[in-house]
Amino acid sequence: MLHRALEQFLTDVHWGEIDHLVVDMPPGTGDVAISLGQLLPSPQLVLVTTPQAAAQAVARRAAEVADKTGMGLAGIVENMSYAVCPCCGERTHPFGEGGGAALAEELGTELLAQVPMDDRLRECGDEGEPLVVANPDSPAAQAIVELASELDRRLAPKVPAAARI
């Protein structure tokens, strides 16, 4: 039933001209992830993890399911990578460090971004205003903008140079 509802959502909604459809899903390997792998023409997975080993294990299982359903792996994003002291700018790593890079190496992909912890990220989300609009100079906003640019570059259709003329 869930698969049919998702299929209807993907086929019956008039999306207009879009470059990418981003589906934010909770961690894990549920039915929705499997259905998306089956329903979308060329799905690319961006795995989000934190520096902790437990989060990497969940992301690793999601990568295995994605592989079995024909999804490509666009890369890894490490969330809550570090905290930036508002007074001195020093970085601390309350959840450890290097987990996203280790997972990317293990899975044969790249670490696309390390997004720092920022209370304003949550607050802006709760208020419905993106951090990149409300506070574009914050380290978290800059990391998100760089991630979006990198994903746009990586996921752009590969058009031969002769066809672009």
Side-chain angles (χ1 to χ4, degrees):
M1 191 162 92
L2 182 59
H3 180 86
R4 272 194 239 125
L6 185 58
E7 184 175 26
Q8 182 179 8
F9 177 71
L10 292 172
T11 57
D12 291 353
V13 171
H14 176 68
W15 296 100
E17 294 287 327
I18 61 172
D19 293 322
H20 309 291
L21 175 64
V22 177
V23 180
D24 183 8
M25 298 187 327
T29 57
D31 293 341
V32 173
I34 294 168
S35 290
L36 285 173
Q38 296 168 342
L39 294 170
L40 295 174
S42 300
Q44 293 287 312
L45 181 68
V46 176
L47 282 176
V48 179
T49 188
T50 63
Q52 299 150 292
Q56 293 165 42
V58 172
R60 188 177 300 109
R61 285 192 306 274
E64 290 168 3
V65 169
D67 184 54
K68 289 178 183 174
T69 59
M71 284 191 203
L73 182 57
I76 307 291
V77 174
E78 186 181 78
N79 197 18
M80 300 192 301
S81 294
Y82 55 90
V84 179
C85 176
C87 298
C88 68
E90 180 183 353
R91 289 183 179 190
T92 58
H93 300 87
F95 299 110
E97 62 183 304
L103 181 62
E105 184 175 336
E106 177 186 336
L107 297 176
T109 190
E110 291 186 44
L111 179 63
L112 300 173
Q114 291 180 298
V115 181
M117 295 171 48
D118 188 333
D119 287 341
R120 293 167 295 184
L121 183 58
R122 176 194 46 80
E123 292 165 358
C124 286
D126 290 346
E127 294 167 5
E129 181 178 22
L131 180 67
V132 298
V133 173
N135 194 346
D137 295 328
S138 72
Q142 291 174 354
I144 292 167
V145 167
E146 289 171 16
L147 170 62
S149 295
E150 179 64 15
L151 284 173
D152 189 48
R153 185 185 68 74
R154 284 175 179 265
L155 302 177
K158 305 294 187 252
V159 179
R164 285 184 251 151
I165 299 174

